[in-house]
Amino acid sequence: NLKSLNINSCWNVTDKGLLHLSSNCPRLTSLDLSNCRKITNKGLTALIQSKAAEGFDGLTYLSLSYCKHLSSLTMSALATYCSGSLEYLNLQRCTGVSTKDFEALSNVNFSALHTVILSDCSFLQDPAIIALVKAAPNLERLSLSFCCSLSDASLEAVTMLKHLVELDASYCCSAVSDTSIYMLLQAHKYAPLSLNIRGCFRVTDQGLKPTLDKEVQLDYLNISQCPN
């Protein structure tokens, strides 16, 4: 009857352990496998598929940060079996997941997904974020910290997220400029926003002009290490 399990940083957990979970804990909806670096697509997809095959609810919370052996097979399993249930997804530094894997999700509707963490996914490019925004239009919290391969196009896509309340774009220097920040703030001028653009040296006073003119609502603003 276990519903929630956190085995963060249990480094010796392998696919064999996940196979035991799939057969013995079918009611799991919340799973934290962060820093379990030995797990692969085999174990995780078996867990996801077995729950669906037995008629149990899909995962709602899944943290996979630093699980570098996961790739397109895991993303495909999430799209097939968890698109209607998944609410929280953490893929921080999951270097095996590619831009193409996100593009494959663009025709899937992750209607319940409200939080996505992509911090340190420095290899992801604009099409990944554009596809994510299309697949998860109800996103409320998004972290793109240290996603260094993104451009203004990613922030432009994020402006389409009408329910966004929190964006971490710290150290996304190529994605955060006066133009993209101005567009983002204008798009969310009627809803409070928590914004972290720490270390984004391209931003100047002009980009933040809407906040200075009190045209937008901000709950939180981090512009530390923004020298301009």
Side-chain angles (χ1 to χ4, degrees), residues 28 36 39 57 63 67 108 114 116 124 138 153 192 200 204 209 223:
L28 266 182
C36 293
I39 66 170
D57 293 337
S63 184
C67 294
V108 180
H114 60 66
V116 173
L124 288 182
N138 296 319
C200 295
T204 71
K209 189 174 185 297
I223 50 173

Side-chain angles (χ1 to χ4, degrees), residues 1-7 21 25 27-32 59-61:
N1 294 314
L2 191 66
K3 294 182 179 180
S4 180
L5 179 63
N6 186 335
I7 49 176
L21 284 180
C25 301
R27 291 178 172 81
L28 266 182
T29 56
S30 175
L31 183 59
D32 190 341
L59 293 170
T60 60
Y61 179 103

Side-chain angles (χ1 to χ4, degrees), residues 87-170:
E87 299 175 0
Y88 176 100
L89 180 62
N90 186 342
L91 294 174
Q92 180 177 8
R93 202 177 279 273
C94 288
T95 52
V97 180
S98 70
T99 295
K100 288 186 177 180
D101 297 333
F102 276 92
E103 289 183 286
L105 302 180
S106 60
N107 294 321
V108 180
N109 184 15
F110 285 86
S111 57
L113 192 58
H114 60 66
T115 301
V116 173
I117 311 297
L118 298 176
S119 305
D120 299 310
C121 292
S122 56
F123 50 89
L124 288 182
Q125 298 176 324
D126 293 327
I129 307 307
I130 294 170
L132 174 64
V133 168
K134 183 179 179 181
N138 296 319
L139 273 181
E140 298 175 4
R141 292 172 175 82
L142 177 61
S143 177
L144 302 175
S145 178
F146 284 99
C147 289
C148 303
S149 298
L150 303 180
S151 74
D152 287 341
S154 289
L155 267 289
E156 183 177 352
V158 170
T159 64
M160 303 301 292
L161 295 172
K162 301 305 180 185
H163 303 286
L164 191 70
V165 296
E166 182 178 331
L167 175 64
D168 183 355
S170 54

Side-chain angles (χ1 to χ4, degrees), residues 210-227:
T211 66
L212 303 175
D213 292 342
K214 299 181 180 180
E215 294 178 1
V216 298
Q217 300 181 59
L218 281 176
D219 281 343
Y220 171 87
L221 176 64
N222 187 341
I223 50 173
S224 58
Q225 298 185 23
C226 292

